[in-house]
Amino acid sequence: MQTTMLKAKLHRATVTRSELGYEGSCAIDGDFLDLAGIREYEQIQIYNVNNGERFTTYAIRAEAGSGVISVNGAAARLACAGDVVIICAYAVYNEKELADYKPALVYFNEKNEVVRTASSIPVQVHAA
C-alpha cells in the first residue's frame, strides 16, 4: 500500500508580492526550499490564512536570502502581499518508507525569518 503524506510545510510565511503578469507559480526564497526539501517545479498547495483560499501551483526558486514568497500568474488573484500563507508539499510513501517518515516543518515570523524547524506537530489537546 502507498500513502500520501505531508512531506514539507512552510508555516505562516508572509506573501511579499503578487505578480499577475508573471508566468504562473510561486517563487520561494531558495534557502526556504532547501531547508524544507522542496524541489524547484515541485507541486505545492498554498493555504491562505487571510482569506481561506486553497490552491495548487508549483515552486520556483527565488534568490536565496531574499525572504521572497511571490504568488504569480492566475494564483496572484488568490493571495496578496501581506497575506499569511501555509505552503505544503506532499509525497507518496510505501509502508517501508513510512517506518522512518518525518516531515520537514519550517516556521516563520512576520518578517519571513525562520524561527524554528521541526519534524512533528504537537498533539492537539482539548481546551477546557
Side-chain angles (χ1 to χ4, degrees):
M1 176 172 48
Q2 296 193 329
T3 306
T4 302
M5 303 288 288
L6 178 66
K7 172 188 163 188
K9 176 173 80 163
L10 303 176
H11 189 75
R12 298 188 64 87
T14 301
V15 175
T16 58
R17 51 205 259 201
S18 187
E19 299 281 341
L20 185 62
Y22 192 85
E23 186 174 346
S25 61
C26 180
I28 301 171
D29 179 315
D31 289 341
F32 301 163
L33 292 178
D34 294 343
L35 190 57
I38 298 173
R39 296 173 181 250
E40 188 167 26
Y41 306 112
E42 183 171 353
Q43 180 177 298
I44 55 175
Q45 300 283 323
I46 300 178
Y47 312 127
N48 188 326
V49 174
N50 291 73
N51 64 21
E53 293 286 351
R54 299 168 73 92
F55 54 96
T56 303
T57 188
Y58 59 94
I60 60 173
R61 186 172 290 274
E63 180 181 1
S66 65
V68 165
I69 302 288
S70 181
V71 180
N72 302 320
R77 299 219 184 260
L78 305 175
C80 301
D83 284 356
V84 173
V85 294
I86 299 167
I87 301 171
C88 294
Y90 297 87
V92 177
Y93 299 90
N94 63 39
E95 288 298 314
K96 184 176 181 181
E97 291 168 319
L98 286 173
D100 297 320
Y101 162 77
K102 291 192 184 321
L105 311 172
V106 183
Y107 296 85
F108 295 87
N109 65 16
E110 63 282 347
K111 297 177 185 176
N112 278 356
E113 298 168 331
V114 175
V115 294
R116 69 184 175 97
T117 61
S119 61
S120 66
I121 297 171
V123 173
Q124 187 171 353
V125 296
H126 175 68

